[in-house]
Amino acid sequence: IYLSILNKITFLPVAALLLLLSVHTLAEVVKSMSDCSQFFLDQTPPHVPGVLEDGKILNQNRYKPICQTYKNQRRFVTLYDTKNKIPVFSTKAAGKNMKRVNKNREYNHQAGSIDYQSNKTFDKGHIFPSSYASTLDDKKSTFTLTNIVPQAESFNKGSWNNMEKCIKCVMEKYCINSNGDTEGFVMTGAQPSSGSFLNNRVNVPSALWSAFCCYSANMEAWIASAHWGDNVQDEFKNKFLETITLEALYQKLSISNSGNCVCF
């Protein structure tokens, strides 16, 4: 089960890069998640059973921690699965402009544009949406193939997009800190399927999920919610995903809740 914790921001940040986006972008593979701990809530990496436990990557040959750097500034951190060729989780950084990458090149350890060619079923579904980026450079840093997964087209453009817009509105209204800034913690992720692959290389997730929490200074309380969507075409237009509790999401992901707001 893949989990993604997006870091605290004003408004919100991003995902992951192995593939160079431009000359300004550096995929900085580091030795451990602690090298980019500033992007995690309480500087504590998420707990992903069998993948990342107690801050340690269990299979370092398969899972690569990346401090994503854009214009000489670290903007987010990602743990990337080089076998399934999709992000495990991301913190901090989506768009359609993939023109700056080599479309005909096949990469051994990550997805490439060629994997999505001649495909009429799946979009390049971004784990972290560009609309959540706080600056133009943060927004640009989302245009990367390692911030995407194969996502059913109408699901991506329909109910999932509706959910992202709703969460952004909620956070802009309620997630205001004592300085008057929007500040929150967002988690997004993809649950990999057991045997569905695009181009026989890139895992097609069975579901996507998202969760957020923030401390509202005005309400003097933590608020949180989560969403889950099967990675299939929407059954009808204007579909909205059901809002669920974090506990319900934990049950779906078969993870016990060991924390107060973000426990992964």
Side-chain angles (χ1 to χ4, degrees):
I1 294 172
Y2 289 174
L3 307 177
S4 172
I5 293 185
L6 295 239
N7 70 311
K8 179 173 69 175
I9 67 228
T10 318
F11 173 55
L12 285 160
V14 191
L17 290 174
L18 275 176
L19 186 64
L20 293 185
L21 176 61
S22 71
V23 294
H24 300 292
T25 303
L26 174 64
E28 184 183 356
V29 179
V30 294
K31 293 183 178 180
S32 70
M33 301 306 297
S34 61
D35 290 330
C36 278
S37 61
Q38 69 268 30
F39 296 114
F40 297 116
L41 175 62
D42 295 332
Q43 298 188 354
T44 303
H47 178 81
V48 187
V51 177
L52 178 62
E53 299 181 1
D54 298 324
K56 297 180 180 179
I57 300 172
L58 301 187
N59 187 340
Q60 297 185 13
N61 291 325
R62 174 174 176 176
Y63 302 105
K64 301 298 181 180
I66 303 169
C67 291
Q68 175 56 35
T69 303
Y70 183 72
K71 290 187 176 180
N72 298 319
Q73 180 179 338
R74 286 182 173 180
R75 300 181 183 275
F76 54 87
V77 62
T78 292
L79 185 63
Y80 192 80
D81 181 353
T82 61
K83 180 179 179 180
N84 279 326
K85 297 176 176 60
I86 57 176
V88 177
F89 65 80
S90 320
T91 78
K92 201 175 170 169
K96 298 180 180 178
N97 184 1
M98 299 289 178
K99 294 182 180 179
R100 283 174 284 184
V101 300
N102 188 333
K103 292 187 176 182
N104 296 316
R105 180 177 176 183
E106 183 174 290
Y107 298 88
N108 292 329
H109 302 296
Q110 69 163 85
S113 287
I114 193 173
D115 293 313
Y116 288 83
Q117 290 179 356
S118 303
N119 161 61
K120 298 181 180 180
T121 303
F122 297 102
D123 278 353
K124 299 182 182 76
H126 291 80
I127 291 296
F128 195 87
S130 62
S131 60
Y132 282 22
S134 57
T135 68
L136 179 60
D137 285 340
D138 282 341
K139 190 181 292 287
K140 288 180 178 179
S141 66
T142 66
F143 294 94
T144 169
L145 287 164
T146 50
N147 181 37
I148 67 172
V149 297
Q151 187 174 5
E153 181 181 10
S154 62
F155 172 45
N156 181 38
K157 294 182 172 68
S159 58
W160 190 256
N161 182 52
N162 292 336
M163 178 276 296
E164 290 176 340
K165 291 179 179 178
C166 288
I167 292 302
K168 183 178 179 181
C169 288
V170 169
M171 296 191 73
E172 288 177 335
K173 183 175 182 179
Y174 297 105
C175 298
I176 309 300
N177 62 22
S178 57
N179 295 322
D181 297 323
T182 302
E183 181 178 85
F185 301 90
V186 178
M187 299 173 288
T188 59
Q191 184 172 16
S193 63
S194 59
S196 179
F197 290 86
L198 189 65
N199 196 30
N200 294 318
R201 283 171 32 88
V202 183
N203 188 279
V204 178
S206 59
L208 298 182
W209 59 268
S210 180
F212 91 94
C213 71
C214 70
Y215 184 80
S216 174
N218 293 335
M219 299 174 62
E220 297 184 346
W222 285 89
I223 61 174
S225 69
H227 294 83
W228 173 280
D230 293 327
N231 190 20
V232 296
Q233 304 292 349
D234 280 357
E235 304 93 335
F236 53 87
K237 292 184 178 180
N238 298 321
K239 176 183 176 181
F240 284 83
L241 298 177
E242 178 187 4
T243 300
I244 60 177
T245 64
L246 294 184
E247 288 77 11
L249 179 62
Y250 298 146
Q251 292 179 1
K252 282 182 173 292
L253 296 174
S254 299
I255 295 175
S256 60
N257 182 0
S258 59
N260 117 22
C261 178
V262 178
C263 72
F264 298 128

